Amino acid sequence: MRYVSTRGQAAPRDFEAVLLAGLAEDGGLFVPEEWPVLTAAQWRALRGLPYPALAARIIGLFGATGLPLETICAEAYAGFGHPAVVPLVQLDHRTFALELFHGPTLAFKDMALQLLGRMFDHVLEKRGERVTIVGATSGDTGSAAIEACRDRRAVDIVILHPENRTSEVQRRQMTTVLAPNVKNIAVQGDFDACQDLVKAMFNDAPFRAEMRLSAVNSINWARIAAQIPYYVAAALALGAPDREVAFSVPTGNFGNVLAAWAARRMGLPISNLIIGSNRNDILARFLASNDMSAKPVEPSLSPSMDIQVSSNFERLLFELLGRDGTATAETMTRFRTEGRMPVPDAAWRRATEIFRGFTLDDAGTLAEIRHQWSAAGYLADPHTAVGTAAARALAPADPAVPVVVAATAHPAKFPDAVERATGIRPPLPARLSDLYEREERFGVLPNDLAAIEAAVRAHALRNAA
Ligand SMILES: *Cc1c(COP(=O)(O)O)cnc(C)c1O
C-alpha cells in the first residue's frame, strides 16, 4: 500500500517511510492511496481475537507488512493494566465506555505510541539510522511519546509543552523521565504555539535534514492506523457487522475520531460519530453552521482538548473535497492566512451526514462527572465526561444502536476535577504512586523558533556523540 499527501505534491511513500517522515514535505498529511474495505464475512472472522492479535491484523491491512506486527502488538500491550487491554464498561441500557486508558501514562495516547516506539526501533535498526523526534503536547501526547521512546536506541526525543497549561500529573509524567535521550521544553505560549513551532521546524528543510526530524504527534499516519483497532474491537463486541454502532469521541486534534471515521470507511457499520468539545468548540461550530474559524485557545477542565486548530481535520477535508490535493492545499492556506476555512457547502453537508458536534463548558463537565457517578457508579475523567454528555445529547434516534464513548483518560489523571464533582479523589495506580516525589528536569524557552532549534540541535549532538 502506498500513501499520498493531502496536499497532492509529495511523492507517494510506503508505510515505513511515512512512519519516519511524519508530515509530508509539501506540508500535507499522509493518507492511504486507497482504503482497505472488508466484507461482512471478513469482519465476522475477526470476532473473538485477543486485542493484540486483532490490532496486528488491522494494522497489517495498511501495508505495515515488513514489520513483525504480532510481536510488536503483543509487547506493546503486555504492560497494560487490564487483561482485555480496552475493556467495555456498560453505563446504561445503550451506552458503553471504551476504556483506552490502561497504558503506562493513563491516557489513550498510549494505545498508539506504545506501538510507534517499537515500530521506529525496528525500521531504524533495519536501515542503520537514527532520528530526532520532536513533538508538541497539550499534556498527554508528550508523556505517552516519552514513555514510548525512553528506552529506544535509535531515537532522541524533544517534547514541547505549553508552560503552566498542563496538569501537574501530566507535566511530571514527562519531566521525571531522566533518560539521556529525552528532553522536555516548556514553551512560553499555548498549545497551538507549540504545534506551530513543530511545524516550523519541519518546514525548515535544512534543519529537518540535519536533525533527521520525525514526529509522533497525531499527524503521524501510524498513530491513526494504531487507533483504528479499538473501534473495530468495540463494534465487533457489540454485534457488528450485523448491528450498527455509534461512537462518541471527546476531541481535540481530531486524531482519535478520525480513526473511528477510518473504521467506518473500511466498512464497519458505524451510524454516526459524535464529537465532544469543551469550550474550544471550533469543530462543533463547523458542524452546526459551516463556521470553521479559529478563536484564541481558552483553558478548560479537559486540557488535552484545549485546541483550536485540529491538525487531523485536514485528512477528513481531503476526503470531503473528493481527494483533491490542490483544493485541500488552497483551503488550508486560506485557513492559515484568514483564520477561517472556506469549506464548500456540499462538502460540509457530507460531513454533517456522519458527524454530530456537541459542546460542554466546565460547569457542564462537572455536572456530567457527578451524573455518571450517581447514575452508574462510574468515575469519568473530564475528557471522558464530555464524551458521555455528548453521547446522551446526540445518540441516534434508534434505541437499538448502542453508543460507545471513548474513555480517553483515567480519572486519577485529573483528580482535582473529579474530586470537585464527586468528593472522591481517585488514587493513582500503584506503578505511579511515587510520581510527586520524583526529580523533574525541563528547560523553559520563549515562543521563538531559533531558540527551540538551538536546543534541539544541542540535545541531538550530545546524544549522537
Ligand atoms: C489527546 C486527548 C484527547 C483528544 O484526542 P484527539 O485525537 O486530539 O482528538 C482527548 N482526551 C484525552 C485524555 C487526550 O489525551
Side-chain angles (χ1 to χ4, degrees):
M1 169 173 296
R2 296 197 313 167
Y3 288 83
V4 295
S5 165
T6 52
R7 302 199 186 173
Q9 298 299 312
R13 307 278 170 77
D14 66 10
F15 183 92
E16 294 184 12
V18 164
L19 171 76
L20 296 184
L23 205 65
E25 65 267 24
D26 59 3
L29 279 58
F30 285 111
V31 288
E33 199 164 45
E34 267 175 59
W35 291 97
V37 176
L38 276 63
T39 64
Q42 287 171 320
W43 288 121
R44 282 187 207 107
L46 296 171
R47 282 177 178 157
L49 285 177
Y51 186 76
L54 176 70
R57 295 277 282 277
I58 299 296
I59 297 165
L61 298 172
F62 288 95
T65 39
L67 295 170
L69 280 178
E70 300 233 342
T71 310
I72 289 177
C73 291
E75 286 175 6
Y77 299 122
F80 276 50
H82 195 290
V85 183
V86 286
L88 267 180
V89 177
Q90 190 157 6
L91 302 180
D92 66 24
H93 67 287
R94 69 181 300 195
T95 312
F96 297 78
L98 175 63
E99 293 188 342
L100 306 174
F101 54 67
H102 293 284
T105 71
L106 307 182
F108 93 95
K109 309 278 192 308
D110 291 329
M111 294 301 305
L113 288 171
Q114 284 297 310
L115 282 182
L116 250 68
R118 288 168 171 82
M119 287 180 175
F120 266 87
D121 255 7
H122 279 281
V123 174
L124 291 169
E125 251 156 39
K126 214 157 60 177
R127 300 183 174 201
E129 290 176 8
R130 188 177 182 84
V131 297
T132 303
I133 287 175
V134 294
T137 185
S138 55
D140 289 329
T141 320
S143 56
I146 287 167
E147 280 296 336
C149 293
R150 62 185 299 170
D151 300 317
R152 308 285 149 218
R153 287 200 305 249
V155 176
D156 292 311
I157 179 163
V158 180
I159 294 294
L160 312 184
H161 69 267
E163 189 186 22
N164 299 329
R165 301 254 193 149
T166 63
S167 77
E168 187 174 2
V169 177
Q170 287 178 319
R171 189 191 69 238
R172 285 183 164 276
Q173 281 186 318
M174 296 189 281
T175 59
T176 60
V177 177
L178 306 180
N181 69 327
V182 172
K183 182 168 184 66
N184 283 286
I185 299 175
V187 174
Q188 294 166 326
D190 61 20
F191 170 69
D192 287 343
C194 294
Q195 188 154 263
D196 285 346
L197 285 164
V198 168
K199 285 197 173 172
M201 283 191 266
F202 274 99
N203 288 335
D204 179 346
F207 182 77
R208 176 179 178 163
E210 179 196 348
M211 294 293 112
R212 304 199 53 85
L213 284 194
S214 189
V216 296
N217 55 13
S218 65
I219 56 176
N220 192 304
W221 164 257
R223 289 254 323 252
I224 306 296
Q227 290 167 182
I228 298 170
Y230 49 75
Y231 291 105
V232 175
L236 293 179
L238 291 171
D242 303 300
R243 185 191 191 195
E244 283 200 323
V245 182
F247 287 99
S248 174
V249 184
T251 301
N253 235 333
F254 208 77
N256 201 4
V257 74
L258 185 85
W261 178 87
R264 186 179 187 277
R265 181 68 186 75
M266 293 167 71
L268 261 194
I270 295 171
S271 63
N272 291 104
L273 294 169
I274 302 164
I275 294 175
S277 301
N278 61 30
R279 72 176 72 150
N280 300 290
D281 63 346
I282 183 168
L283 292 166
R285 279 186 283 120
F286 167 68
L287 290 168
S289 57
N290 197 359
D291 171 21
M292 183 76 94
S293 56
K295 293 183 182 171
V297 179
E298 290 181 34
S300 79
L301 290 177
S302 41
S304 300
M305 293 149 58
D306 291 348
I307 289 167
Q308 280 291 349
V309 179
S310 300
S311 324
N312 267 297
F313 183 79
E314 180 168 341
R315 288 191 163 107
L316 180 69
L317 178 70
F318 178 68
E319 304 286 347
L320 294 173
L321 296 177
R323 308 202 118 214
D324 181 338
T326 308
T328 306
E330 274 170 23
T331 306
M332 293 308 298
T333 302
R334 282 186 59 191
F335 184 44
R336 194 133 283 267
T337 54
E338 295 163 22
R340 191 168 184 288
M341 190 184 294
V343 179
D345 229 47
W348 170 71
R349 254 172 239 293
R350 278 197 288 283
T352 61
E353 283 161 17
I354 306 169
F355 293 94
R356 299 172 178 180
F358 180 80
T359 304
L360 194 66
D361 64 11
D362 281 356
T365 303
L366 291 172
E368 178 65 18
I369 296 173
R370 202 172 302 124
H371 169 78
Q372 288 301 337
W373 176 241
S374 63
Y378 192 74
L379 275 184
D381 99 286
H383 304 78
T384 303
V386 170
T388 57
R392 215 170 40 258
L394 297 178
D398 180 354
V401 177
V403 187
V404 178
V405 180
T408 51
H410 191 293
K413 197 147 187 178
F414 300 93
D416 296 337
V418 176
E419 186 174 21
R420 254 170 85 191
T422 64
I424 291 164
R425 193 165 183 86
L428 283 169
R431 65 183 185 278
L432 288 169
S433 57
D434 68 339
L435 188 65
Y436 286 86
E437 281 91 65
R438 295 181 197 165
E439 182 195 340
E440 285 189 85
R441 199 180 293 161
F442 64 98
V444 180
L445 287 176
N447 176 10
D448 173 63
L449 182 62
I452 303 286
E453 286 189 344
V456 172
R457 186 180 280 113
H459 177 66
L461 290 180
R462 176 154 31 81
N463 290 312

